[in-house]
Amino acid sequence: MARFWLCAGCTVFFLAFLNLYSRFSGSSVLREFIFQISWRSEEILYKLDVGWPKHSEYFTGATFCVAVDSLNGLLYIAQRGDNIQKVLVFTEDGYFLRAWNYTVDTPHGMFAASTLYEQSIWITDVGNDFMMLWLHGENGTGPAKFNIPHSVTVDSSGRVWVADRGNKRIQVFDKDTGVWLGAWNNCFTEEGPSSVRFTPDGKYLIVAQLNLSRLLFVAAPPVGSIGSCSVISSIQLADQVLPHLLDVSGKTGAIYVAEIGAKQVQKYVPLKS
């Protein structure tokens, strides 16, 4: 243990010395070296809320998706299976409220869009027939082409971020014009993203990787630039947990992850909350 603290102290002293030397000598190479060291050391941003939910026995199927209604403090969860309640409603604190099984067959995704005057939840049901109203893009690997587009979110500057899972990348578009702005693929060499959401402060893009059972926290680029993907932190889940889709509370910043392998939803809370 004494050797560990000695090594840690020497490392801190070495970095401090380099930082001071670079400032007085004006060496940009040293400053870049120090920046890369600090950038590659992951921060711990979130922790598991082990007390959530209060009533886990209501998870009786494969939990495919989750949606947070931050306005009303509600959490909607959709699950698949035979002879089960397809939609569960919890409070954000984890208390079960109600469930229903009508109008939903095979839920895949969901989105909460409540206002002050009306509670609204939209569910993608792949088991029911639907009519195509419009289509943007086509199957392929080039810009603005997709292979299993699996999740979409919009940032505060009006950029649309699409998890192009089969192509192992995230593509970015202008919300109003649909113009292709760029793509990230350097973070997804092992597996493509299955879900994307921004933290409420817009600093990070949270990405789920299904088969790796992993969550990534990626630095959001400034307005006017897409740049490349830079992972700030990650959460490695247990094998075969399979995080499918996630959503984030706009009030608390809590992350709710629908895990089809574990057949549950887990909650992660910010360490600095």
Side-chain angles (χ1 to χ4, degrees), residues 22 90 147:
S22 66
F90 287 80
N147 182 6

Coordinates of all heavy atoms in Angstrom, one line a residue, residues 22 90 147:
S22 N 6.0 23.8 -18.9 CA 5.4 24.1 -20.2 C 4.9 25.6 -20.2 O 4.9 26.3 -21.2 CB 4.2 23.2 -20.5 OG 3.2 23.4 -19.6
F90 N -44.3 3.9 -13.4 CA -43.7 4.1 -12.0 C -43.5 5.6 -11.8 O -43.5 6.4 -12.8 CB -42.3 3.4 -12.0 CG -42.3 1.9 -11.9 CD1 -42.5 1.2 -13.0 CD2 -42.1 1.3 -10.7 CE1 -42.5 -0.2 -13.0 CE2 -42.0 -0.1 -10.6 CZ -42.3 -0.8 -11.8
N147 N -28.2 1.7 -41.6 CA -28.3 0.3 -41.4 C -28.7 0.0 -40.0 O -27.9 0.1 -39.1 CB -27.0 -0.4 -41.7 CG -27.1 -2.0 -41.6 OD1 -28.1 -2.5 -41.4 ND2 -25.9 -2.6 -41.7

